[in-house]
Amino acid sequence: MSHRVIDNPENMATDISRVASSRRHSENELPYVHKVGVPPKTNLLKEITETVKETFFHDDPLRNFKDQSKSKKLLLAIQAVFPILEWGRSYNLSKFKGDLISGLTIATLCIPQDIGYAKLANLDAQFGLYSSFVPPLVYAFMGSSRDIAIGPVAVVSLLLGSMLQQELDPVKQKHEYQRLAFTATFFAGITQFVLGFFRLGFLIDFLSHAAIVGFMGGAAITISLQQLKGLLGIKKFTKKTDIVSVMKSVFAAAHHGWNWQTIVIGLSFLAFLLVAKFIGKKHKKFFWVPAIAPLISVILSTFFVFIFHAEKHDVQIVRHIDQGINPPSLNEIYFSGEYLTKGFRIGVIAGLIALTEAVAIGRTFAAMKDYSLDGNKEMVALGTMNIVGSMTSCYVATGSFSRSAVNYMAGCHTAVSNIVMSCVVLLTLELITPLFKYTPNAILASIIISAVIGLIDIDAMTLLYKIDKFDFVACMGAFLGVVFQSVEIGLLIAVAISFAKILLQVTRPRIVVLGKVPRTRVYRNIQQYPESTKVPGILIVRVDSAIYFSNSNYMKDRILRWLTDEDEILKETNQQKIQYLIVEMSPVTDIDTSGIHSLEDLYKSLQKRNVELVLANPGTMVIDKLHASGLADMIGEDKIFLTVADAVMTFAPKMEP
């Protein structure tokens, strides 16, 4: 074993003395506290540019154009407008097989649905088929979703029909009604195109998920109630859509207006369709069963009506569908006169609802297949197809969830499935439409009911109730508004409640008191962590929002009320009075001039109470504005800290381990 030899005992004594002195010195000093960094100054133009870029171009859509030649940039620009030119280069026979099967499958579903949805919009049956011919072709060239299936949908058809018939009678003023429908479709397309072109797609996000769930559920109930006319064979039926008016109309016709043959046909095939839907949902490999069931129902019911001449027993039938492809309708659109503004109003509303549904469907399936979807490009594609559609006798088309789900399950690879579907619809228009003459209206009612019943999402409503009661109230408000008033009122309630929630969150931000979590240096909400302890003489609060003119006064008043309540409690228990107010500002992403003034007023109020204001972890935007306004100097640089723990350690060091 070796031993260290001490050459000089005096040196060792000196070293021991230095170590002891160093320890005494470190015990008397506070640990190191890092200062809050001040960001470098940015000029106004750069700040505006960055704000605009983050607002409208957050996804950096031009990144592929960087460092490219002019010819390459031109090619990329054309591919951006027509994505089919990009993915078409890698298209092969294997993908076409999947798209062919998917296209044929959704065609069998869309043909009977289109006829029914056209009647829902108070239009002749052929207009539904027209809307599944031209718009899907346009979308296939311009759309970026691989799975979405384009065509008329129940909710938009109902919305369009209910608003149009408030302006014109679909029977007595049939031609004018059709012209107004084309005008509304044109402006729906313009609305969608403008939102996408100017990258304003974020505006549709103002309609919350909860409001959409309620609106869709209410619309499904309303649509189903409207189908009682065809399901029961009622000839005289109310034009109103609320549940009270509809049920009054149904029961008023009970003694002499119901047709038992129609009821048998309708309920029998409705049961068949619901069973088919259950089988497809229970066993994914049988997805084709609910897809082909509507067409089978149409074929069988039409055959039975024709064989037994049920139309002679007051069973209402389609009777006539115009044969041939879409006639041009550009000259039918109202570009002047009183119906221009009406068409614009109806078109904007219908366009926004159609857009919301299509983008939601596209994002859902894009997430399932793990590919990116450009929402603004989708809006441009949807807008273009509706503009072209309005000029070719179509009404508002969008993404159909039921058809898109079938398209996805059938194994589609690209938008070619929409082209296949369009080709089948073209053949139907040219060759098969006379065969629909004896199709009973009851079967169309059954198809619509079975299609929309899935829009009533009970699970989503239950989840909303569990997670957020305000969201549940928004959902129920939209639902009840549609069911008991009208689609427009329900939509208005949905939008109003969505904005009310935003305003409530902006004007009344959450402000909480923080305490120290045991055996840590972490400070958290005392309601979430009841075991956390308050620091004697210090009140710590956290503002969970940006501070703007809309909430700045509330923020100041709420913090002062916290302070007053805390002082009263401490006075009753003879504890140490509050000397420091620490405001944790980590969640405060920004502050405006009103917020600065409120903080200044808070500082002055605290000075009168002999309480010092301390700020913890202000962000880049906040600290920059605090220095620019001079408020940082007023509060004092020594009272702005990186963390709450640093502030507490400075002003109450005995509390820190």
Side-chain angles (χ1 to χ4, degrees):
M1 182 182 292
S2 63
H3 298 276
R4 184 180 175 187
V5 179
I6 301 174
D7 295 327
N8 193 342
E10 290 182 6
N11 289 342
M12 187 183 79
T14 303
D15 290 340
I16 293 171
S17 175
R18 284 176 181 171
V19 171
S21 175
S22 174
R23 284 178 179 172
R24 285 195 301 273
H25 184 69
S26 64
E27 286 173 0
N28 292 332
E29 278 190 357
L30 289 172
Y32 172 70
V33 175
H34 198 286
K35 289 290 183 182
V36 175
V38 181
K41 290 285 183 181
T42 56
N43 61 60
L44 181 61
L45 181 60
K46 186 178 180 181
E47 189 174 338
I48 292 173
T49 303
E50 288 180 353
T51 302
V52 171
K53 183 179 178 181
E54 192 60 32
T55 303
F56 298 102
F57 305 99
H58 63 281
D59 54 346
D60 194 12
L62 301 178
R63 62 185 179 277
N64 294 330
F65 291 81
K66 293 176 182 176
D67 303 322
Q68 300 289 346
S69 63
K70 289 184 178 179
S71 58
K72 182 65 174 177
K73 287 180 179 178
L74 178 62
L75 178 62
L76 289 173
I78 295 171
Q79 288 178 348
V81 177
F82 301 103
I84 192 171
L85 298 177
E86 182 180 359
W87 55 258
R89 292 182 300 172
S90 59
Y91 199 71
N92 53 43
L93 185 60
S94 175
K95 289 181 179 179
F96 178 70
K97 288 178 182 177
D99 289 337
L100 179 63
I101 294 170
S102 301
L104 292 173
T105 306
I106 58 176
T108 61
L109 178 62
C110 87
I111 291 169
Q113 282 187 350
D114 290 345
I115 297 171
Y117 292 160
K119 289 189 173 295
L120 200 58
N122 302 312
L123 293 166
D124 291 337
Q126 67 269 15
F127 292 106
L129 295 172
Y130 293 161
S131 302
S132 278
F133 172 46
V134 174
L137 285 176
V138 177
Y139 181 85
F141 282 86
M142 298 187 67
S144 54
S145 174
R146 305 171 193 168
D147 305 278
I148 197 167
I150 298 297
V153 296
V155 174
V156 176
S157 298
L158 173 69
L159 180 65
L160 198 65
S162 62
M163 289 192 294
L164 288 173
Q165 72 176 1
Q166 290 178 5
E167 307 298 337
L168 292 166
D169 190 300
V171 178
K172 296 178 181 178
Q173 299 169 293
K174 186 176 181 179
H175 182 65
E176 290 78 7
Y177 183 91
Q178 291 173 1
R179 290 188 65 187
L180 188 58
F182 299 148
T183 306
T185 302
F186 176 79
F187 284 111
I190 292 292
T191 302
Q192 294 167 340
F193 184 90
V194 167
L195 288 176
F197 185 80
F198 291 104
R199 304 187 68 79
L200 299 171
F202 60 87
L203 294 176
I204 65 171
D205 293 332
F206 281 98
L207 195 61
S208 68
H209 170 70
I212 291 172
V213 169
F215 175 76
M216 291 295 185
I221 296 291
T222 301
I223 292 167
S224 299
L225 290 172
Q226 290 290 306
Q227 301 317 302
L228 292 177
K229 177 185 178 182
L231 200 66
L232 303 176
I234 302 172
K235 293 181 178 179
K236 291 184 179 180
F237 200 72
T238 181
K239 291 182 179 179
K240 295 181 179 179
T241 60
D242 64 282
I243 188 171
V244 176
S245 299
V246 170
M247 295 314 295
K248 279 182 178 179
S249 184
V250 169
F251 289 118
H255 296 294
H256 55 81
W258 293 12
N259 181 273
W260 70 267
Q261 294 96 331
T262 302
I263 295 172
V264 170
I265 293 171
L267 293 182
S268 300
F269 282 102
L270 178 60
F272 168 70
L273 291 167
L274 293 177
V275 170
K277 199 167 187 177
F278 176 78
I279 292 171
K281 191 175 182 180
K282 199 75 173 175
H283 306 283
K284 299 297 182 183
K285 62 182 179 180
F286 294 126
F287 69 89
W288 52 270
V289 174
I292 202 170
L295 189 59
I296 292 174
S297 301
V298 168
I299 293 170
L300 291 177
S301 61
T302 303
F303 177 74
F304 289 139
V305 169
F306 177 74
I307 291 296
F308 296 106
H309 293 287
E311 77 279 2
K312 295 180 180 179
H313 299 280
D314 289 331
V315 173
Q316 298 176 38
I317 58 175
V318 173
R319 293 194 182 279
H320 176 73
I321 299 178
D322 285 351
Q323 195 171 0
I325 62 171
N326 310 30
S329 57
L330 177 60
N331 60 337
E332 298 288 312
I333 298 173
Y334 287 112
F335 289 111
S336 61
E338 61 174 318
Y339 292 120
L340 173 63
T341 53
K342 293 177 180 178
F344 175 78
R345 177 180 61 84
I346 296 169
V348 169
I349 296 171
L352 288 174
I353 294 300
L355 197 59
T356 303
E357 188 170 356
V359 172
I361 292 168
R363 286 173 178 170
T364 299
F365 289 105
M368 291 169 69
K369 283 192 174 180
D370 194 26
Y371 65 88
S372 60
L373 189 75
D374 189 329
N376 290 295
K377 280 186 183 178
E378 284 294 285
M379 293 175 195
V380 170
L382 292 164
T384 304
M385 77 178 192
N386 277 316
I387 292 170
V388 175
S390 69
M391 301 175 186
T392 52
S393 301
C394 303
Y395 74 95
V396 182
T398 186
S400 166
F401 189 83
S402 59
R403 276 178 249 174
S404 299
V406 171
N407 198 28
Y408 170 81
M409 294 296 293
C412 70
H413 295 284
T414 67
V416 170
S417 59
N418 276 292
I419 298 176
V420 173
M421 180 188 71
S422 294
C423 292
V424 175
V425 173
L426 171 62
L427 292 174
T428 303
L429 285 166
E430 288 287 358
L431 305 173
I432 308 175
T433 49
L435 300 179
F436 290 109
K437 177 181 178 180
Y438 290 97
T439 301
N441 289 341
I443 198 64
L444 301 177
S446 300
I447 290 170
I448 292 174
I449 292 172
S450 66
V452 302
I453 200 167
L455 295 176
I456 307 170
D457 198 340
I458 302 296
D459 292 337
M461 292 180 184
T462 306
L463 189 63
L464 288 171
Y465 181 79
K466 290 179 180 178
I467 295 175
D468 192 323
K469 300 298 187 292
F470 193 95
D471 271 352
F472 180 75
V473 170
C475 176
M476 287 295 101
F479 178 83
L480 296 174
V482 174
V483 172
F484 286 96
Q485 283 295 320
S486 66
V487 179
E488 303 95 294
I489 296 296
L491 182 59
L492 183 63
I493 291 173
V495 173
I497 293 177
S498 296
F499 271 100
K501 184 178 181 180
I502 294 171
L503 290 173
L504 188 63
Q505 290 176 338
V506 170
T507 58
R508 293 294 181 266
R510 193 181 300 275
I511 301 174
V512 297
V513 175
L514 306 183
K516 184 173 180 290
V517 179
R519 298 184 296 279
T520 70
R521 297 183 67 214
V522 176
Y523 292 81
R524 291 292 182 267
N525 186 351
I526 59 174
Q527 292 182 339
Q528 185 178 358
Y529 298 92
E531 70 277 10
S532 60
T533 56
K534 295 180 180 179
V535 182
I538 298 177
L539 176 64
I540 309 168
V541 299
R542 186 182 70 214
V543 181
D544 290 342
S545 168
I547 304 175
Y548 292 131
F549 65 92
S550 57
N551 60 25
S552 57
N553 285 325
Y554 170 79
M555 179 272 303
K556 180 196 70 176
D557 295 341
R558 188 69 187 89
I559 290 175
L560 289 174
R561 195 161 82 248
W562 274 121
L563 186 63
T564 302
D565 294 344
E566 195 70 18
D567 276 337
E568 289 177 356
I569 294 171
L570 294 174
K571 189 176 181 181
E572 290 175 1
T573 55
N574 295 319
Q575 294 185 50
Q576 183 181 353
K577 186 177 177 293
I578 297 296
Q579 295 177 328
Y580 296 95
L581 171 70
I582 300 176
V583 181
E584 158 70 297
M585 303 190 75
S586 297
V588 182
T589 55
D590 198 3
I591 188 170
D592 65 1
T593 51
S594 297
I596 294 290
H597 287 311
S598 290
L599 277 180
E600 186 177 342
D601 292 341
L602 177 64
Y603 171 79
K604 291 176 180 177
S605 297
L606 293 175
Q607 289 292 302
K608 293 176 183 177
R609 301 187 185 199
N610 294 320
V611 176
E612 295 293 334
L613 176 62
V614 180
L615 304 181
N617 196 24
T620 303
M621 298 286 289
V622 176
I623 193 66
D624 185 42
K625 292 180 181 181
L626 288 177
H627 279 279
S629 64
L631 186 58
D633 296 328
M634 182 185 293
I635 296 172
E637 292 283 352
D638 58 335
K639 293 186 178 65
I640 302 177
F641 293 87
L642 192 62
T643 66
V644 172
D646 287 349
V648 173
M649 184 170 56
T650 301
F651 297 112
K654 292 181 182 179
M655 291 302 299
E656 288 295 312

